[in-house]
Amino acid sequence: MEMIEVEDYQEMSRVASQFIIEKVQLLDNPVLGLATGSTPEGVYKQLIEKRKQGNVSFANTSTFNLDEYVGLDGDDPNSYRYYMNEKLFSHIDIPGENTRVPNGMKKDLEQECGQYEQLIKEKQGIDLQMLGIGLNGHIGFNEPGTSLQTRTHVVELAQSTRKANARFFDSLEEVPEQAITMGIETIMASREIILLVSGERKAEALDRLLNGPVTEDFPASILQTHPNVKIIADRAARSLMKK
Ligand code: F6R
């Protein structure tokens, strides 16, 4: 894992968006893996800005999001499909059909998971996957205890994750109990990964990622075994790192 030290959230967002733009400009049909949450919001703002300036086109880009809540449809402001449309897709020139987010409204969720894997395969896999990290080490919605051999699957969300995400909902009760997520193996199959870490509250998770053992108890630790991972971490997130 390569560590890229940045000063703050702004710089993290700029550096990460630059990696994404370089990939999009380099490849004929780039395939990006995208995340939601607070961490990538600044990256999406940068990408929109760069698109507006005419520096990059996403016309040939395909995207796969990491995860989606079960039971929320794309019009629900708390769904990840809605988030992606609002924060990125509606503001750039990517064709709608090239943007994929798991569909948590499908009757047969297992089938949806299988189809999602199939679609990724048809696109020859993900060129660049962007990740955030949960306080408990989750990536996507792969919570501690998830087998490291999983593909896209349905998960029960940890209570701590529901609490952490309740800030976006009116109450904790409204946070769905299940989600669809790319599995650890799906994420690990990406050719390149950038993991974004910002803020003091993530410092412990970053320390454990860098110095802890590879274990299902801390899913992000598996990234230690991926050949091409860049961690972009700001000063606050690095506050527990040994000098
Ligand atoms: C979101 C996702 C999650 C988040 C993680 C951190 O698609 O996959 O793993 O990356 O929960 O969330 P934030 O960025 O809100 O701290």
Side-chain angles (χ1 to χ4, degrees), residues 6 16 21-22 26 30 39 58 91 107 112 115 139 143 150 190 193 207 212 231:
V6 293
I21 288 169
E22 277 167 20
L26 182 73
T39 308
F58 297 91
H91 309 284
K107 265 217 173 76
E112 170 65 11
Q115 273 174 2
I139 46 174
E143 301 285 15
T150 44
S190 312
I193 294 174
D207 180 50
I231 300 173

Side-chain angles (χ1 to χ4, degrees), residues 47-65:
L47 294 179
I48 292 168
E49 200 47 44
K50 289 284 176 330
R51 172 65 206 140
K52 281 197 181 133
Q53 291 165 0
N55 298 344
V56 62
S57 168
F58 297 91
N60 296 324
T61 298
S62 298
T63 64
F64 288 92
N65 264 78

Side-chain angles (χ1 to χ4, degrees), residues 23-218:
K23 191 64 76 182
V24 167
Q25 288 172 334
L26 182 73
L27 301 176
D28 292 336
N29 296 106
V31 181
L32 303 175
L34 299 178
T36 56
S38 306
T39 308
E41 285 191 21
V43 178
Y44 296 146
K45 283 193 184 134
Q46 292 280 333
L47 294 179
I48 292 168
E49 200 47 44
K50 289 284 176 330
R51 172 65 206 140
K52 281 197 181 133
Q53 291 165 0
N55 298 344
V56 62
S57 168
F58 297 91
N60 296 324
T61 298
S62 298
T63 64
F64 288 92
N65 264 78
L66 283 166
D67 41 19
E68 177 62 286
Y69 289 116
V70 167
L72 301 190
D73 79 30
D75 294 333
D76 188 314
N78 280 312
S79 73
Y80 287 169
R81 162 53 77 181
Y82 188 93
Y83 170 111
M84 288 309 301
N85 288 347
E86 287 292 302
K87 298 201 188 292
L88 182 66
F89 299 148
S90 316
H91 309 284
I92 60 174
D93 61 338
I94 191 166
E97 66 271 20
N98 288 10
T99 69
R100 307 277 182 180
V101 181
N103 185 343
M105 291 301 285
K106 281 279 175 70
K107 265 217 173 76
D108 189 339
L109 294 173
E110 294 305 323
Q111 191 186 45
E112 170 65 11
C113 293
Q115 273 174 2
Y116 206 65
E117 284 291 325
Q118 187 55 34
L119 286 167
I120 295 174
K121 209 163 141 194
E122 280 166 18
K123 293 282 179 190
Q124 268 88 50
I126 293 170
D127 295 303
L128 179 64
Q129 174 69 56
M130 175 165 60
L131 294 177
I133 184 171
L135 297 175
N136 63 3
H138 72 222
I139 46 174
F141 270 138
N142 295 286
E143 301 285 15
T146 307
S147 157
L148 300 179
Q149 271 87 45
T150 44
R151 289 278 168 172
T152 301
H153 63 294
V154 179
V155 288
E156 305 294 322
L157 294 178
Q159 195 59 5
S160 60
T161 298
R162 293 185 64 235
K163 277 189 186 145
N165 289 3
R167 65 190 193 276
F168 300 111
F169 293 78
D170 287 337
S171 67
L172 178 60
E173 290 68 48
E174 281 180 31
V175 184
E177 294 183 349
Q178 289 185 314
I180 295 179
T181 182
M182 276 187 204
I184 306 264
E185 250 185 35
T186 322
I187 294 170
M188 289 294 284
S190 312
R191 285 181 272 284
E192 190 173 345
I193 294 174
I194 49 175
L195 173 74
L196 279 54
V197 200
S198 172
E200 211 178 325
R201 57 194 277 276
K202 296 286 175 76
E204 215 175 302
L206 180 61
D207 180 50
R208 217 171 144 188
L209 166 64
L210 296 173
N211 301 311
V214 175
T215 165
E216 290 175 1
D217 294 339
F218 196 77

